[in-house]
Amino acid sequence: MKTHTLLMPLDMHLHLRDAVMLENVAPLSAYSYSGALVMPNLVPPVATLDDVQAYKQRIMAAVPNDYFEPYMTLFYKNYDKAFLESVVDDILALKLYPAGITTNSEGGVSSFDIEEMRPTLQAMSDLGMPLCVHGETDGFVMDREAEFMSIYENLASSFPKLKIIMEHITTKAAVEMLDKYENLYATITVHHLLLTLDDVVGGMMQPHLFCKPIAKRPEDLDALLSVALQAHPKVMFGSDSAPHPQHKKESCGCAAGVFSAPISLQLLCEIFDQYGKLDNLQAFVSDNAQNIYGICPEFKEVVLAQRPFVVPQNYSGVVPMYAGETLNWAIESVE
Ligand code: DOR
Ligand code: ZN
């Protein structure tokens, strides 16, 4: 049986939620990942030092014995330098949401006026705090990410020492930005390495594949695959696994978010193997993130095997991506 070993897998964009949902989903990521960058879009958002510390404790309490490091983020607002200095040791990055663009982002940024943001972004740059960005405008849904590129350019050129991570990129336009600015990086989800808009709404509508940003065109998928499969050093894995209760997905007014946490490593193995690039998966799913963020996760070894794995229909009331379908790779052991 063909196997593949991954060391210290990292999920650099993860929604763990809170309370019962947190208790249900955190162990699934903690099982196979060494650590994850935890998104702050709770209600209310994670926006103070107390919020960060208390949330981290709740995450640690929800995770069983296995070792798992929650790398914390703070919900971006135009904070002053003194405040940022007070949180620098407790967070790995700030996460910027345009106001109202996705789940629980109402308190996000409504103006990308560089002068308004300058004190915060300059302080972050000075303190070495990366800026993670949900890069979508409020334009036509298929164009939102491409329209955001001029904002990325403005941010990247105005703050050349600030590390800016284009989160969950979905377009060729975003891929092309990577080599244009030294300080731009990106995360890519596993679902955006598999889906186009056709898979979401081309046949019967698939609520469990609906997310923001929406999956795009075949040429976008090809561009994402090309940088992920070569493990471009400025690209890292971030699942954007975003659990919602089943009734919020299978409803009129479907919540955005794909729940992939329990199957993401298996799917990544399947994709990289299919293209003969398994040797690059380690960099995509861990080494690049370690270099970009300067983190050093605790040892974890995950062995995957090429054998059928039927995706469960449901994880405590949350329907995963590809529920009921058979994947070609399974997790064999974790140490
Ligand atoms: O589809 C999404 N769901 N995109 C996001 O940016 C947020 C996420 C969520 O929190 O549900
Ligand atoms: Zn997200």
Side-chain angles (χ1 to χ4, degrees):
M1 191 168 46
K2 186 165 162 182
T3 63
H4 188 71
T5 300
L6 293 170
L7 298 177
M8 287 86 83
L10 296 169
D11 180 348
M12 298 313 287
H13 184 130
L14 179 64
H15 298 271
L16 285 177
R17 314 300 193 205
D18 213 342
V20 176
M21 182 64 95
L22 168 66
E23 285 164 20
N24 288 333
V25 301
L28 300 171
S29 288
Y31 172 63
S32 50
Y33 287 90
S34 258
L37 189 68
V38 180
M39 292 297 129
N41 60 332
L42 304 184
V43 187
V46 180
T48 67
L49 180 58
D50 268 3
D51 291 346
V52 170
Q53 291 176 338
Y55 188 33
K56 183 167 182 173
Q57 281 192 357
R58 295 198 297 280
I59 295 168
M60 296 307 287
V63 166
N65 305 324
D66 346 64
Y67 188 80
F68 176 73
E69 175 78 30
Y71 299 104
M72 304 306 290
T73 62
L74 188 75
F75 194 91
Y76 181 94
K77 295 181 188 178
N78 288 331
Y79 300 110
D80 64 25
K81 186 163 190 177
F83 172 73
L84 292 173
E85 277 167 347
S86 75
V87 293
V88 67
D89 293 335
D90 289 76
I91 62 169
L92 193 60
L94 281 84
K95 172 69 186 288
L96 186 156
Y97 292 90
I101 205 68
T102 189
T103 310
N104 306 335
S105 62
E106 289 69 26
V109 168
S110 44
S111 159
F112 284 92
D113 180 339
I114 291 287
E115 292 321 311
E116 263 177 56
M117 305 174 81
R118 184 175 296 281
T120 310
L121 295 177
Q122 191 56 53
M124 286 173 61
S125 176
D126 295 344
L127 293 166
M129 296 167 124
L131 175 71
C132 300
V133 182
H134 182 119
E136 289 195 285
T137 67
D138 60 0
F140 178 67
V141 67
M142 288 293 278
D143 298 333
R144 286 176 190 176
E145 184 173 293
E147 286 175 3
F148 201 88
M149 293 305 128
S150 59
I151 301 177
Y152 278 132
E153 298 210 56
N154 205 359
L155 291 169
S157 57
S158 303
F159 303 95
K161 295 263 178 305
L162 176 67
K163 277 192 178 168
I164 300 169
I165 293 101
M166 302 185 284
E167 292 297 329
H168 43 53
I169 58 170
T170 61
T171 57
K172 189 164 177 249
V175 168
E176 286 168 358
M177 294 292 285
L178 282 170
D179 292 323
K180 217 169 150 187
Y181 293 90
E182 209 182 317
N183 54 332
L184 279 186
Y185 302 81
T187 56
I188 302 181
T189 74
V190 71
H191 50 283
H192 290 119
L193 291 176
L194 290 162
L195 308 174
T196 68
L197 186 63
D198 250 6
D199 298 296
V200 187
V201 291
M204 299 253 266
M205 200 181 85
Q206 302 299 318
H208 300 293
L209 302 181
F210 170 67
C211 65
K212 302 283 182 70
I214 193 98
K216 304 289 189 313
R217 295 181 167 78
E219 54 269 35
D220 297 305
L221 175 58
D222 289 346
L224 296 170
L225 277 170
S226 75
V227 276
L229 291 169
Q230 60 166 282
H232 187 298
K234 295 176 84 181
V235 157
M236 54 199 152
F237 175 62
S239 69
D240 199 15
S241 178
H244 291 276
Q246 185 165 5
H247 71 271
K248 295 240 164 129
K249 294 291 289 175
E250 298 175 9
S251 80
C252 170
C254 167
V258 171
F259 181 53
S260 62
I263 61 162
S264 47
L265 276 188
Q266 298 89 319
L267 282 175
L268 285 171
C269 262
E270 191 159 335
I271 297 166
F272 277 67
D273 183 41
Q274 183 193 332
Y275 288 95
K277 295 288 182 193
L278 263 181
D279 287 348
N280 289 346
L281 182 54
Q282 177 63 36
F284 180 65
V285 82
S286 185
D287 303 355
N288 289 356
Q290 293 185 45
N291 293 332
I292 293 167
Y293 278 106
I295 51 178
C296 192
E298 289 280 316
F299 186 80
K300 187 176 260 180
E301 182 184 81
V302 182
V303 180
L304 292 107
Q306 194 175 37
R307 62 170 168 81
F309 165 63
V310 180
V311 180
Q313 291 289 352
N314 201 294
Y315 288 88
S316 313
V318 184
V319 179
M321 176 187 187
Y322 291 165
E325 295 185 35
T326 304
L327 310 186
N328 295 321
W329 283 79
I331 294 178
E332 198 65 14
S333 66
V334 180
E335 267 178 58

